[in-house]
Amino acid sequence: MPVLSARALLLDMDGTLVNSDAVVERIWRRWAERHGLDGDEVMKVVHGRQGYASMAVLLPGRPMEQNLADNARMLAEETADLDGVVPVPGAPEFLASLIAQGVPHALVTSADVPLSTARMGAAGLPLPELRITAESVGASKPDPEGFLKGAAELGIAPEECVVFEDSGAGIEAGRAAGMRVMGVGARAGVHGPDVVVRDLREVRVEAVAGGVRILVG
């Protein structure tokens, strides 16, 4: 059974704790159609990034002001559409275990406060006390800023944190922050995280002196 040792866990939301794929597919495929882009190609880009950053990749040369305005509209759409938002299998038990054992952890998401609050609520998951959201950072994943800020606010060195992520952008961000990465789900596996699990039912966390042991399998 693989074991990772850490002092804190930094948790992505979409695809890691919350399955919001149905909403993301609906909204981004509509966006792709409006802009004459192939929906399948768009879906390869959007996971893990803030919307404006995805748009910058997909529509190079478009003024950033347009991307930011478009992103604001998309966030409003996503926050209002919670149909099909459910917890990733094992997420309720996983978070309950962290809380019960007092394991230091933070949510590090590309969603803003309204969207992250809505999706965690729709999935029936408790919001961690520390949340690093889109409003907290100046750069989207794959930039490591969010994970580094989460570690700093917990008072834990980056190399003593383990990131839980599902997307290529998020895994790249965790690595750039100097952290080990636990990949969650099929999407994560192709990006070479340190360890990959199908979902959070395969993860057990044990608080130990000076930190936490993460057991996989």
Side-chain angles (χ1 to χ4, degrees), residues 37-198:
L37 299 174
D38 181 87
D40 291 340
E41 294 303 312
V42 167
M43 296 313 302
K44 293 177 183 178
V45 171
V46 300
H47 292 290
R49 292 179 170 87
Q50 292 189 43
Y52 75 85
S54 296
M55 294 170 192
V57 172
L58 293 162
L59 295 174
R62 188 168 84 152
M64 184 55 70
E65 296 77 23
Q66 290 185 32
N67 292 339
L68 291 169
D70 215 357
N71 184 52
R73 289 190 292 271
M74 295 275 282
L75 283 170
E77 283 186 62
E78 290 185 278
T79 303
D81 185 354
L82 299 174
D83 186 24
V85 174
V86 295
V88 165
E93 297 81 5
F94 175 75
L95 285 173
S97 174
L98 300 187
I99 294 166
Q101 297 183 82
V103 173
H105 64 285
L107 189 72
V108 182
T109 176
S110 294
D112 63 4
V113 168
L115 180 57
S116 58
T117 302
R119 283 189 177 162
M120 291 288 282
L125 298 176
L127 280 165
E129 290 185 14
L130 177 58
R131 300 181 290 278
I132 307 298
T133 63
E135 296 92 339
S136 309
V137 298
S140 168
K141 298 172 187 177
D143 191 281
E145 181 185 358
F147 288 125
L148 291 172
K149 187 165 187 176
E153 294 203 16
L154 288 171
I156 306 294
E159 63 271 18
E160 295 182 300
C161 297
V162 169
V163 165
F164 283 66
E165 264 286 359
D166 74 300
S167 71
I171 291 167
E172 184 179 341
R175 283 183 172 152
M179 302 173 182
R180 288 155 295 152
V181 181
M182 173 80 71
V184 180
R187 196 157 47 226
V190 300
H191 300 288
D194 295 281
V195 180
V196 64
V197 294
R198 286 177 297 178

